[in-house]
Amino acid sequence: MDEPMDMDDLFGDGDGDGDGEASVPLGPLPTNAFLPREILQRVGELRLSGCCQNLAWSKLGCIAHINRDGRGISIRGLFCSPRNGKWSLSGEYPATPRGALGDGNRLVHLCWNHSGSDLAVVDSYGRISLFSVVIAINRLAETRQFLNDPEDDLSAVVGMCWLNGERQFPIYRPAFRRDGNYQYSASNAKPYGPYHPLPGKSALISLSRGGNLRLLFQQPDMKWGEVGTELESVGSSDDLFTHASFSPDQDNTLLLAVCTLAHQLRLYRININWNSSSRPAPPNQLPTTPILLVRHVKLGDRFLPLPPSSEEASTTGESKPDVYIARLSHLEIVGVEPADKHLQTSPNPAAIIAVFSHVPVSAGVSEHQSEAYSVISRWELRPVARVLHPSFGQLPSRKSAPAAKENYLTLARQADVHVDKVVVSMQPLKVGTSFALAYSDGTIEFRNRCMEVIVHDKDYRAISSMSQVGFAFPKTDQCVNVALSPNFCQAVWLELDGSLRLKTMEYGQGALPPKEDTKFAVVLAAIALQFAYSCANHNNNDDILSFMLEQSGWAAFHADFLSEIYRALNMSVDYSVEPQHDKLFRNTIIQRCLSMQNSLGYGGEGKARTLTAKVAWATLQLRHSALTLALAINGQGRGGGADSEPEFLKPANLQAILGILRWSLDIICFISDELFWLAHAAEDHSEDLDLIQGKIREENSAALTMVLASTPRTFLRSNNTHMRKLSAALHRALQTAREQEQRDAFLFVLSVFEASSVKPAAFEQLLAELDTDVKTAYTNAGVSESERGKVEKGMLTSAAVPEVLLPVVSKLLTGGLESLKAEIEPATLYFADYSWLGWSDDSRSAGYARAQRVDVIRRVVLGRGARVRRCTRCCGVMEDVMPVRPAAALNASLQMLQRVCYCGSLWILGEDG
């Protein structure tokens, strides 16, 4: 054990003896006029155990909720209705653990892992079931059953924690205002360990009421292993644990804070030894069974709130509530804040935060006992170096080297915070740098680590959160529990009747100020900073989108927001000089930005997208088709050696990409037709920028932007290059094909190429000429690299034709299309049917969309009885076909693309609007 501590310094010098009522509620709670029975029951659960979270919102956007009877769980999520483009909560979908729950047993706790893909479900006996999200957010598969876990009261779980992954994450610093604009910056940090030694595998640690420490870990075959140890022996009922909290520490160990039934605080350090052997383990294999090593660090008594000081009582002249009747309801230990070398301040030390709550349960009590309140207590864990007494220096020196001086932890008690309402939920945010506290009256407060309320701050020099600039949740009716969305701008309230209600942050300063007002830039920076944090940390950001669409009168704000998020992410969309196909394909952040742009202009299937939304929507589709063809043609080797045919030429693999091929060919035909129309509409006015822009907006056509902006043009070039390669490979393979099945497959795909009015080689030549003309225009105008980036971003986010590229547009509309025109018959393009693409706003396309459903991933028409999954954001559908294992190499690659929608959002089952 570490250095002993002064109990008076740690817990204050009050006169209470700490021998009040036990934290475990005895018998049914009475109904009274002070708080509803449901809230009293919730507080009783919080006092009984540190693991009673019955509502949880994951990083992926999946909402899990324990049913009111405690016999099962329901899964919900945010989704956009295809009928009107409105966002709401989906219906409930069951995900109940296998195995019967006996009499008196019920599900009590939910805990998502850090990525949001795995869910732990715990019952009142401490039995743990584990679920994984399978492609759709409302479809969970049970990967571990609790049937073999012990079934006794001492095994009840009081603390639980998923281990961090080893992947670095960005820390966004506050946005500072310089030269009229907010500047954004971030640095990478590695989360504290311990980690699972195998990448992509999860591990979960828990503590039972009787002191049993369990580690569940995923093995290479995806099954779950388990090891355990006893924290320390239990001598009496006073040694039983009620609450526990884990936190990773800087030395890759876990700090564990626990509270006993006798109100005693204990602190432990846990080391997980994954490899006790000096020999390295083979790849994708665990080195050995892990070993849990426990060291007792601190022991303290009277884990209770501080009594009011005599000085405080004499100053106010009022008697204070007896804080000793408040009981522990929440316990959190948070590690040292990640260090940022760019900031001059030292990071905050680890801390223990506890909430003690009191609720009146009858009318026959004293005045102060009839008040509901909470007390928030804090202790900082400060490392102190051990110092030997000077007398040891007088001892004779020894030849052996002196032992290393190991630091020990001291607990520095901080001032308590008193709140005149009951805390029903406390959620750490952003690696424990801030907290969201929800109260029984339906209010939510954001507090920093010092438990100071984060309020609207009119000092706008540095922006760090949305609540700082005036956003807050509206006060609602009383609630039992609250869970915040991944980006903290929406929340679900568990109502007294057991139903869930979605709430959205509101701007508390009235209407959105005009663009000239300083507050406009402040609001813009706060939301852009949160979006950047979400993208960089791979959080689902449907809540930000839903939040923005909920704000009335914000349509004009969207254009500035779309431009600002690229600044916040420090991301360029300029690929005009160096296309850098690989870099663009690997850029998933641009996918998130385009997805946001598309959805902000989407009003449902019966309403045309705005032009800026259509540009983003079309670019996302081009990105997906380019990725599919690139993986199919470039990413596969030969099946049987150097002399065998490539994998993509096998009939089954050709069939897999046939829909994408047809779509890609029709797209270049559609774009060509739109460009011919624009050339005719702007005839004799090819240098009139306003007229050209007006015609584009009148027709709501994205074709010119697709070939003018470097990002979609790069995707188009990649598409055409791979189609040309595929055509050439088919012609060569046809000469040597021996099996009739192969010849038929080759001839069929070649017939698809032949049926296209525009050949990939001809369109590729047009794009190559545009590449050269755009580079020349930038050079002739003397446009710098930064200015060029702004021009490219403006084209992508506003669909505007920049003046610097007017010579390119003029040349394209007057003579640039002649080479393409010589290769085709424009009349065939004009009379062709492109309704299945959905890129046009005419009645034929609208009628096709009502009559048919097109798989947005494979680009095939779905039958009427096909089971589909729908994108939560863009409302695109895909046939619900589960991946086949083991899959061929090409099919495995294509199946990876099917795990999410082409817009980057997740799927949901059964929500047809």
Side-chain angles (χ1 to χ4, degrees):
M1 185 182 296
D2 278 311
E3 188 103 340
M5 56 188 169
D6 187 334
M7 293 298 109
D8 291 337
D9 291 340
L10 175 58
F11 293 107
D13 54 358
D15 297 330
D17 57 10
D19 292 326
E21 64 187 22
S23 295
V24 183
L26 303 176
L29 291 167
T31 303
N32 60 86
F34 299 99
L35 286 174
R37 181 183 182 84
E38 291 80 6
I39 295 178
L40 295 176
Q41 182 66 40
R42 172 63 179 163
V43 174
E45 294 170 352
L46 291 170
R47 289 176 171 183
L48 177 66
S49 170
C51 280
C52 57
Q53 183 63 35
N54 58 6
L55 178 64
W57 199 330
S58 79
K59 191 175 176 179
L60 285 181
C62 184
I63 303 169
H65 167 226
I66 296 177
N67 299 338
R68 197 172 189 183
D69 61 3
R71 314 297 288 184
I73 60 175
S74 298
I75 303 298
R76 306 181 73 172
L78 282 178
F79 87 107
C80 177
S81 171
R83 293 178 181 173
N84 53 22
K86 301 293 184 181
W87 284 79
S88 62
L89 286 177
S90 70
E92 295 186 350
Y93 295 85
T96 303
R98 295 188 184 95
L101 293 171
D103 294 339
N105 189 12
R106 59 196 303 271
L107 303 179
V108 295
H109 185 65
L110 302 171
C111 184
W112 289 101
N113 70 342
H114 299 291
S115 66
S117 59
D118 293 321
L119 174 67
V121 181
V122 186
D123 71 3
S124 55
Y125 288 138
R127 301 186 302 173
I128 301 174
S129 288
L130 298 175
F131 290 81
S132 291
V133 177
V134 182
I135 299 180
I137 63 171
N138 55 352
R139 176 165 56 200
L140 272 65
E142 191 171 13
T143 58
R144 182 189 187 274
Q145 301 179 28
F146 58 35
L147 298 177
N148 296 326
D149 289 351
E151 191 171 346
D152 62 82
D153 292 331
L154 290 183
S155 296
V157 176
V158 297
M160 175 175 284
C161 171
W162 288 90
L163 300 191
N164 284 330
E166 203 167 357
R167 184 176 182 176
Q168 287 190 333
F169 66 95
I171 301 174
Y172 267 84
R173 291 180 282 276
F176 288 94
R177 189 174 181 87
R178 296 191 188 95
D179 302 326
N181 289 316
Y182 281 96
Q183 305 299 321
Y184 308 89
S185 60
S187 60
N188 287 329
K190 186 177 179 180
Y192 300 143
Y195 320 102
H196 195 296
L198 299 183
K201 297 294 188 293
S202 298
L204 172 74
I205 192 167
S206 65
L207 179 68
S208 72
R209 186 178 304 280
N212 184 35
L213 197 65
R214 298 171 66 192
L215 175 70
L216 303 179
F217 55 94
Q218 249 179 341
Q219 302 181 94
D221 60 0
M222 302 303 292
K223 294 181 180 179
W224 289 88
E226 177 181 347
V227 294
T229 188
E230 192 177 68
L231 198 63
E232 62 180 61
S233 60
V234 176
S236 67
S237 61
D238 286 349
D239 293 328
L240 295 178
F241 299 125
T242 62
H243 296 74
S245 178
F246 297 86
S247 176
D249 202 14
Q250 291 173 305
D251 59 355
N252 291 338
T253 63
L254 286 171
L255 285 174
L256 169 61
V258 299
C259 177
T260 68
L261 200 59
H263 317 298
Q264 186 183 69
L265 172 66
R266 299 178 186 177
L267 187 63
Y268 302 86
R269 189 178 294 278
I270 301 168
N271 181 43
I272 302 177
N273 187 348
W274 291 94
N275 189 358
S276 59
S277 172
S278 59
R279 293 178 299 175
N284 295 323
Q285 291 188 22
L286 283 175
T288 186
T289 302
I291 300 173
L292 299 177
L293 304 174
V294 180
R295 182 160 60 92
H296 203 158
V297 177
K298 281 291 179 186
L299 173 65
D301 290 320
R302 298 171 59 198
F303 189 52
L304 295 167
L306 287 171
S309 64
S310 56
E311 180 180 350
E312 182 182 4
S314 62
T315 302
T316 60
E318 299 177 358
S319 60
K320 297 292 182 179
D322 182 5
V323 294
Y324 288 136
I325 65 175
R327 289 291 170 258
L328 180 66
S329 59
H330 298 82
L331 176 64
E332 290 284 347
I333 180 170
V334 289
V336 179
E337 285 186 342
D340 188 345
K341 61 182 180 181
H342 297 280
L343 297 179
Q344 301 300 319
T345 57
S346 57
N348 288 322
I352 296 173
I353 300 173
V355 177
F356 300 87
S357 298
H358 169 68
V359 290
V361 295
S362 63
V365 294
S366 66
E367 176 185 354
H368 293 304
Q369 289 179 338
S370 66
E371 299 174 358
Y373 60 87
S374 296
V375 181
I376 306 172
S377 302
R378 291 189 309 118
W379 294 260
E380 288 187 351
L381 279 66
R382 297 174 181 172
V384 177
R386 296 184 186 274
V387 179
L388 293 176
H389 191 275
S391 300
F392 284 94
Q394 301 174 9
L395 295 175
S397 61
R398 298 178 181 268
K399 294 183 179 180
S400 59
K405 295 180 180 179
E406 183 180 326
N407 291 345
Y408 67 93
L409 291 176
T410 61
L411 293 174
R413 181 76 187 247
Q414 308 298 301
D416 285 355
V417 176
H418 293 255
V419 185
D420 58 355
K421 43 193 171 183
V422 178
V423 177
V424 295
S425 174
M426 181 169 70
Q427 184 174 336
L429 310 177
K430 295 185 178 180
V431 205
T433 56
S434 59
F435 291 82
L437 273 69
Y439 300 98
S440 60
D441 64 352
T443 58
I444 292 181
E445 281 183 344
F446 293 92
R447 293 176 177 264
N448 59 23
R449 189 180 276 211
C450 297
M451 286 296 119
E452 299 167 332
V453 179
I454 302 174
V455 296
H456 180 211
D457 185 359
K458 296 184 179 180
D459 183 5
Y460 298 136
R461 289 175 296 179
I463 303 299
S464 58
S465 68
M466 293 171 59
S467 55
Q468 180 191 348
V469 302
F471 287 97
F473 285 100
K475 184 178 179 180
T476 62
D477 298 332
Q478 292 176 319
C479 65
V480 178
N481 201 357
V482 173
L484 262 67
S485 65
N487 297 289
F488 332 128
C489 57
Q490 289 190 313
V492 283
W493 265 253
L494 180 58
E495 307 277 83
L496 298 181
D497 61 1
S499 62
L500 295 183
R501 181 161 50 150
L502 180 68
K503 289 293 180 181
T504 302
M505 264 189 168
E506 296 177 355
Y507 186 56
Q509 307 304 307
L512 182 69
K515 193 172 181 178
E516 298 75 22
D517 195 320
T518 304
K519 292 182 180 178
F520 182 92
V522 168
V523 171
L524 184 65
I527 304 176
L529 182 66
Q530 186 59 54
F531 180 81
Y533 172 86
S534 167
C535 292
N537 286 276
H538 306 282
N539 286 8
N540 178 282
N541 51 37
D542 284 347
D543 55 334
I544 297 180
L545 175 58
S546 174
F547 152 80
M548 290 191 62
L549 293 174
E550 282 287 319
Q551 313 301 317
S552 60
W554 277 38
F557 177 82
H558 295 167
D560 295 278
F561 171 74
L562 292 173
S563 178
E564 188 73 7
I565 58 179
Y566 286 96
R567 288 189 61 247
L569 289 162
N570 192 27
M571 185 177 62
S572 172
V573 292
D574 178 21
Y575 296 91
S576 58
V577 176
E578 298 180 5
Q580 300 176 319
H581 292 184
D582 292 344
K583 183 178 179 181
L584 181 56
F585 284 152
R586 293 191 180 98
N587 189 344
T588 58
I589 302 298
I590 195 173
Q591 182 187 30
R592 286 173 169 256
C593 295
L594 291 170
S595 180
M596 176 66 70
Q597 180 175 332
N598 168 45
S599 295
L600 286 175
Y602 176 70
E605 292 177 348
K607 186 177 180 181
R609 283 178 168 84
T610 63
L611 182 56
T612 54
K614 184 177 284 189
V615 166
W617 180 66
T619 305
L620 285 166
Q621 294 185 64
L622 288 173
R623 178 183 181 273
H624 171 73
S625 61
L627 272 172
T628 302
L629 293 177
L631 281 174
I633 296 172
N634 292 342
Q636 305 302 324
R638 300 178 181 272
D643 296 331
S644 62
E645 66 181 15
E647 285 285 326
F648 69 85
L649 289 180
K650 292 184 177 180
N653 293 337
L654 287 173
Q655 183 65 34
I657 63 172
L658 185 59
I660 290 290
L661 177 62
R662 280 176 166 159
W663 182 89
S664 299
L665 289 169
D666 276 4
I667 283 297
I668 61 175
C669 292
F670 176 82
I671 292 176
S672 300
D673 183 44
E674 291 280 288
L675 292 177
F676 283 126
W677 163 81
L678 184 59
H680 177 75
E683 190 174 6
D684 301 327
H685 300 281
S686 61
E687 295 185 359
D688 188 337
L689 184 60
D690 292 336
L691 183 142
I692 294 172
Q693 191 69 62
K695 292 291 183 182
I696 291 173
R697 296 198 176 277
E698 180 183 338
E699 192 69 15
N700 203 29
S701 172
L704 183 61
T705 305
M706 291 297 100
V707 298
L708 199 61
S710 61
T711 297
R713 188 172 72 248
T714 301
F715 290 136
L716 274 172
R717 286 204 67 178
S718 175
N719 251 359
N720 282 269
T721 299
H722 289 104
M723 286 193 292
R724 178 174 50 79
K725 288 182 179 180
L726 176 60
S727 178
L730 287 170
H731 278 102
R732 289 193 303 269
L734 188 61
Q735 305 302 318
T736 58
R738 297 178 180 179
E739 298 180 7
Q740 189 61 38
E741 182 187 8
Q742 285 184 317
R743 293 184 60 83
D744 292 343
F746 296 163
L747 289 172
F748 183 79
V749 178
L750 286 173
S751 70
V752 174
F753 278 107
E754 291 300 321
S756 177
S757 300
V758 179
K759 301 299 183 285
F763 197 79
E764 190 177 4
Q765 179 61 34
L766 173 66
L767 295 177
E769 292 173 2
L770 279 169
D771 275 345
T772 303
D773 292 342
V774 168
K775 292 177 186 177
T776 303
Y778 283 138
T779 303
N780 292 343
V783 177
S784 65
E785 183 178 353
S786 61
E787 292 172 338
R788 193 176 67 232
K790 292 179 182 178
V791 170
E792 291 287 339
K793 182 176 69 173
M795 282 191 285
L796 201 60
T797 58
S798 65
V801 179
E803 189 171 354
V804 68
L805 295 183
L806 181 59
V808 179
V809 176
S810 179
K811 177 183 175 182
L812 175 68
L813 299 182
T814 52
L817 294 172
E818 291 301 319
S819 59
L820 180 61
K821 190 175 183 180
E823 298 283 339
I824 63 173
E825 177 55 50
T828 61
L829 295 179
Y830 180 80
F831 290 106
D833 183 6
Y834 305 113
S835 56
W836 81 293
L837 298 175
W839 281 35
S840 177
D841 300 329
D842 57 10
S843 58
R844 179 185 289 184
S845 297
Y848 188 93
R850 288 192 297 268
Q852 303 286 349
R853 294 187 298 181
V854 178
D855 188 314
V856 296
I857 298 298
R858 298 179 298 151
R859 296 297 171 185
V860 295
V861 178
L862 300 174
R864 291 188 178 275
R867 177 180 169 86
V868 300
R869 47 183 182 248
R870 182 179 292 277
C871 176
T872 59
R873 178 174 290 194
C874 74
C875 298
V877 296
M878 178 191 173
E879 186 174 6
D880 187 30
V881 180
M882 296 301 291
V884 178
R885 294 182 181 179
L890 175 58
N891 284 333
S893 299
L894 297 182
Q895 286 173 7
M896 288 298 297
L897 293 178
Q898 298 173 8
R899 299 182 69 86
V900 296
C901 181
Y902 66 86
C903 73
S905 193
L906 297 175
W907 305 106
I908 192 169
L909 299 175
E911 297 294 334
D912 288 334

